[in-house]
Every structure is written in C-alpha cells, then in structure tokens.
Amino acid sequence: MKPDFFKNIKVVGFDFDDTLVDEQYSIKNRWKKTLKEYYFLSSKIEETFFKIYKQKGPLYRFHLNDTLRKLKIDSKNVKKILSKFLTTRDKELLQDGSFELLDLLKSKNIAVGIITDGKQSYQKERIKKAGIYKFMDFIYYGNGKKEKKPNKKVLKELFKSLKIRSPERFLYIGNDFINDIQGMSSVGVSVCWVTKEKFMTKIHRAIKAKNLKELLKYFK
C-alpha cells in the first residue's frame, strides 16, 4: 500500500454493514431478543432457530420457516415474528478501528459519511446506536430494493455539495468487492477494499486493507 495514495483525499465514504459494524453480531442479537418473546410457542424456539441458522448460513432466507416447521408450530406465526424482528433494535458492534479512523479523519478536516443500500427506516437508528452518527457529514440510504452501488445521481449531488471537482479525491471504503469496489470505482472514485482475500484485480485507484485499523497510519 502506497502512502501517497491518500495524499489528495478530501472526502471518505464508508459502506455500513460489515465495514463499519459487524452485521452478523447485530442480526443474531436481534433474533435472540425477538425469539425470547415467543418462548410461549416452544421453549426450544431459540435453540432450534440457531441450529438451523448455523447449518444453512446467514444468506438462507427461511430459517424461521424451518424452525416453526420442525417444532410443529403454525406457520401463520412467521409473519408476526418476522415483523417483530424487523422492528427490534439492539446494540451494534463496531469493527476494529472504526471509531478511531472516523475520529482521526475528522481531526484532519476530511469529510466523512456513509453510503448504504439499506433503507433509512432501518439503518438510521443502527448508525446512531453504533455511536458514530455524530461523525457524519453525509449519509445516503438505499430504497430497499436490490440496487447496486453506485447511484450516479447521489454521487453527482454529493460531489457538488462538497465541491469535489475530481472524483479521485473521494475515497470509498467497503467490504463487498462487487458492489463497493467494482461498483464505486466505475465512476472514477478511489476505493479501498477491506478484506482478508489475497487476490486483487487491476482497478484504477484501488487499494486493499485487512481492516480499518490498518488504515490509521496512512492518515496520521
């Protein structure tokens, strides 16, 4: 990683889930909190759910359906429990180095913000609970559909408001290679892929870091 890569960066945008915070930590805690309220359906509802969650993985969409089926609980409860989960809030776990990096960037008069595909109704409160809302100069939310970054209209508005004439002076940091790195780099911004993957394709103005803590030394 070359230190001069960061020399002319004036604005840093972050992905939220699995970049600034540990999304799985949040999801699991919210499910625990939700399922405890449904022990009256079965004392094994939480235990069964997380066994299925572990077996099927986080990308599987029917953990709850399978849980109720296994426990022979009426499937009409799915909608009610899922609705409860979606409105349940719990503490957020920051990724290592998140708070320190945001604090450092602000001390260097670098504007920081979040560009997330998540809906405002879901993400805003989570950002606040993570304790980092105060750092943000801008936050752009998604519309809840399977949209992929970048939203060119959003970036155009952002560059104008922050008086960025060259997109290379904007650094976007994310963990998802397709959406965060390839997507954002396609409009000419600088990108940083936070990953432990060993490969890196040849993308103009792109770097890689194992975690956010690794980036601290480059902004000091």
Side-chain angles (χ1 to χ4, degrees), residues 25-39:
Y25 176 88
S26 172
I27 288 173
K28 288 178 181 179
N29 277 344
R30 287 167 56 223
W31 270 120
K32 286 179 182 178
K33 199 171 181 179
T34 299
L35 294 172
K36 285 185 188 306
E37 296 193 26
Y38 290 90
Y39 273 19

Side-chain angles (χ1 to χ4, degrees), residues 7 17 25 35 45 95 99 140 161 163 174 203 209 214:
K7 187 177 179 181
D17 284 312
Y25 176 88
L35 294 172
I45 190 168
Q95 298 281 30
F99 191 93
Y140 286 94
S161 67
K163 298 178 181 179
I203 294 178
E214 185 181 339

